[in-house]
Amino acid sequence: MFITTLNQLFVLMGFLLTGFILKKGKLLPDNTATVISRLLNFVLMPATIINTFMDKFTVNNFINKWHLMLYSSVILIGCIIVALILGIFFDRDKYVQRIYRYSFTVGNFAFLGIAFVEGLAPDILFDYLLFILPMNLYTFSLGVAWLIPTDNSGKKGFSLKCLLNPICISLVIGGVMGLTNVMSFIPSIFNFLTQVIQGTAKTMAPMAMILTGFVIGSRPIVSQLKNYKVYICAVIRLIIMPVVIMLILNAVNADDEILKVALCANAMPLGLNTVVIPSAYGRNPELGGSLALVSLLVSLVTIPILFGIFFPT
């Protein structure tokens, strides 16, 4: 499993390096990251979710696999509690504390996590998507509230409208399509729709990694590597927390499928929301960029080792 995991990381890093070179070489306009991000959020990731759910989200599968969401919810609550405690010690600034809290709670379980699972173990992609459902709900609720700077009125800018986003909507659409098996009732003349969805979904992983490389390349590398607190955060989030989670799951005799999706979701480097959302509200994204870059570099070592330890074959 160590070599297989490492090979998959190299594939993803190849795409990331492409994005990095495109940015550093100024081969694409400066707004490329915004365009790719919107493409991923509005088209590619929804297509991936719908493509998986319309085939596998059946009544039997949901009944047999609802426990995935239960385990994920318990782990998420534990991570939130840890994040609330640790965030206090990383900075006096309340907003910076919230950025660290978000980083301790979840990693890049969506863009990078889905891409990683698709390449390493596509047979568990449906299990993984069910597992990260509570994490998605967190990201578009409390997570968004933490990352949006406090306005003059003291409000953090969160509302239930945050849940009306392409990812959550695609989860509903894919779920309905799977439960009703609607595609089997569509006239054969419309069979091309399935091919369009499947073809679009296949581009999600490369584009997600190209975006990551483009964002990392948008700021000087040296400046993103100077903050020692970022390294401490990366060690806690990429080593200590995944190991503790796996030890607890093993202690309660969790199923192998739980162990795999839990490690995939919690071993990923930190995501780009700490860059994108602060930037959108006029905040300096340097901390978010440092968290993304340092955790990515650390994960090149930690992910293969963790999978090699917990899944040696």
Side-chain angles (χ1 to χ4, degrees):
M1 181 62 78
F2 176 87
I3 299 299
T4 303
T5 304
L6 190 62
N7 286 338
Q8 177 57 22
L9 283 174
F10 283 152
V11 172
L12 295 177
M13 290 307 106
F15 292 125
L16 183 147
L17 184 61
T18 300
F20 183 83
I21 293 174
L22 289 173
K23 176 58 181 177
K24 288 300 185 182
K26 298 182 179 180
L27 301 176
L28 294 175
D30 292 336
N31 68 337
T32 297
T34 301
V35 173
I36 297 178
S37 180
R38 290 179 179 176
L39 181 64
L40 283 163
N41 278 290
F42 286 98
V43 181
L44 305 186
M45 185 170 289
T48 300
I49 294 171
I50 291 173
N51 180 54
T52 303
F53 271 56
M54 71 180 184
D55 286 334
K56 297 185 178 181
F57 194 74
T58 62
V59 175
N60 287 337
N61 273 344
F62 181 74
I63 293 175
N64 293 331
K65 296 179 180 292
W66 65 271
H67 62 289
L68 288 164
M69 292 180 286
L70 176 61
Y71 273 94
S72 177
S73 298
V74 173
I75 293 172
L76 178 62
I77 292 172
C79 290
I80 291 175
I81 294 173
V82 171
L84 288 172
I85 296 172
L86 291 179
I88 299 173
F89 299 98
F90 275 76
D91 205 280
R92 294 182 179 180
D93 185 277
K94 297 297 183 181
Y95 181 64
V96 174
Q97 286 181 12
R98 299 208 304 268
I99 292 178
Y100 277 112
R101 286 172 181 169
Y102 179 89
S103 300
F104 281 122
T105 304
V106 293
N108 196 339
F109 65 89
F111 288 167
L112 183 54
I114 293 175
F116 181 78
V117 172
E118 279 188 309
L120 182 68
D123 56 306
I124 67 168
L125 180 58
F126 175 69
D127 292 353
Y128 183 78
L129 290 175
L130 278 181
F131 185 85
I132 65 173
L133 181 55
M135 302 169 73
N136 270 308
L137 294 178
Y138 155 79
T139 300
F140 292 106
S141 55
L142 181 59
V144 168
W146 278 349
L147 293 179
I148 294 179
T150 304
D151 60 22
N152 294 331
S153 65
K155 298 179 180 179
K156 295 180 182 178
F158 166 71
S159 70
L160 290 177
K161 290 182 179 180
C162 292
L163 297 178
L164 296 177
N165 60 80
I167 294 177
C168 290
I169 292 173
S170 63
L171 286 167
V172 175
I173 293 175
V176 171
M177 292 175 68
L179 290 173
T180 61
N181 195 25
V182 65
M183 296 304 291
S184 64
F185 299 103
I186 294 180
S188 59
I189 192 175
F190 294 106
N191 285 344
F192 72 92
L193 292 175
T194 301
Q195 296 179 11
V196 170
I197 295 173
Q198 292 175 344
T200 304
K202 290 179 181 179
T203 65
M204 200 284 294
M207 292 305 295
M209 296 311 300
I210 289 174
L211 171 64
T212 303
F214 200 90
V215 171
I216 290 175
S218 64
R219 302 187 64 81
I221 295 297
V222 175
S223 67
Q224 298 181 68
L225 299 174
K226 291 182 177 181
N227 189 344
Y228 75 93
K229 294 179 181 179
V230 170
Y231 293 89
I232 298 175
C233 178
V235 169
I236 294 174
R237 191 64 188 83
L238 299 181
I239 300 176
I240 298 176
M241 292 180 70
V243 168
V244 171
I245 290 171
M246 294 301 290
L247 291 177
I248 293 175
L249 290 176
N250 275 294
V252 299
N253 295 318
D255 296 339
D256 189 59
E257 63 176 354
I258 296 290
L259 296 174
K260 286 183 178 179
V261 295
L263 185 56
C264 287
N266 289 283
M268 293 298 108
L270 304 179
L272 300 178
N273 281 341
T274 54
V275 177
V276 175
I277 294 180
S279 296
Y281 286 85
R283 291 284 186 137
N284 189 335
E286 184 171 344
L287 175 58
S290 296
L291 288 166
L293 176 59
V294 170
S295 65
L296 182 64
L297 295 175
V298 173
S299 71
L300 292 177
V301 177
T302 59
I303 290 178
I305 291 177
L306 287 173
F307 273 86
I309 292 174
F310 291 104
F311 303 101
T313 58

